[in-house]
Amino acid sequence: MTGSESEEPLLRRAVCPGSFDPVTNGHLDIIARASRLYDVVHVAVMINQSKKGLFTVDERIDLLRQVTAEYGNVKVESFHGLLVDFCKERDIPAIVKGLRAVSDFDYELQMAQMNNGLSGVETLFVPTNPTYSFLSSSLVKEVAAWGGDVAHLVPPLVLRALTERLAKR
Ligand code: ADP
């Protein structure tokens, strides 16, 4: 990376993109591992106007900021449009993604190849910690909505927010 026009030219940057509705221990595991490999990790929360989440984008960002504060080098932001544009604007050469199972692979490979073809950005896949290989935000919401215990799958702060939100429904 040349980074000659960036304000912090020598920093190695990566982005972890996703919906994070809400952030789970699986996401956090990938973010924490990326934060040990890169100087700055941007967590990019996707704005999807056509899909209403359980949490608003601002609420997701707020939860993410609180649970990643301890890493010190994680920046949480929202984005809409193309991820490659988010990367270009911030001089980010790498996307870091967790791969849960073979079922993730087909789509992730297509996206990685498309993004690389669009702008040259690289995608690095980190194998999911097996403890979280079945874990997704949607499954957590579904189980929690039916009263199942998800305390071991999300940070305590997220568990509280989830319980409160679901009680209001
Ligand atoms: P989901 O709704 O499936 O939890 P997101 O769109 O918020 O997913 O996930 C963003 C990215 O976070 C995924 O593309 C993947 O790279 C990573 N991720 C999600 N869940 C996990 C997990 N359990 N373990 C590792 N990585 C994960």
Side-chain angles (χ1 to χ4, degrees):
M1 155 178 167
T2 61
S4 53
E5 282 154 32
S6 126
E7 282 176 18
E8 299 158 300
L10 297 173
L11 296 182
R12 288 174 313 141
R13 297 171 181 277
V15 61
C16 293
S19 320
F20 305 101
D21 184 36
V23 56
T24 67
N25 289 343
H27 294 130
L28 263 189
D29 179 58
I30 299 299
I31 295 168
R33 288 158 73 186
S35 83
R36 293 195 283 272
L37 296 171
Y38 289 89
D39 298 316
V40 182
V41 172
H42 296 255
V43 173
V45 181
M46 207 160 37
I47 300 173
N48 182 349
Q49 256 109 8
S50 64
K51 204 170 144 198
K52 199 177 173 298
L54 182 63
F55 294 95
T56 65
V57 169
D58 286 343
E59 289 168 335
R60 295 177 214 176
I61 289 177
D62 184 50
L63 290 171
L64 272 162
R65 285 198 176 134
Q66 295 189 62
V67 298
T68 59
E70 66 183 277
Y71 305 130
N73 62 344
V74 173
K75 277 176 88 134
V76 186
E77 295 158 90
S78 64
F79 87 100
H80 64 97
L82 292 177
L83 183 61
V84 292
D85 290 336
F86 179 94
C87 293
K88 227 181 274 169
E89 284 156 17
R90 291 161 183 77
D91 240 335
I92 299 172
I95 300 168
V96 174
K97 303 221 76 180
L99 267 192
R100 279 168 286 201
V102 185
S103 50
D104 277 347
F105 186 73
D106 269 354
Y107 182 63
E108 291 294 348
L109 183 66
Q110 282 178 21
M111 213 148 53
Q113 290 168 332
M114 174 61 85
N115 284 336
N116 185 260
L118 285 173
S119 76
V121 70
E122 297 290 359
T123 298
L124 288 99
F125 294 116
V126 177
T128 293
N129 178 331
T131 321
Y132 306 127
S133 61
F134 61 92
L135 180 54
S136 70
S137 297
S138 37
L139 205 49
V140 162
K141 287 183 282 192
E142 202 172 321
V143 171
W146 290 105
D149 183 11
V150 294
H152 53 304
L153 304 177
V154 293
L157 184 88
V158 174
L159 182 66
R160 281 198 294 279
L162 195 56
T163 311
E164 270 171 36
R165 182 57 47 93
L166 292 170
K168 284 189 191 146
R169 291 188 128 195

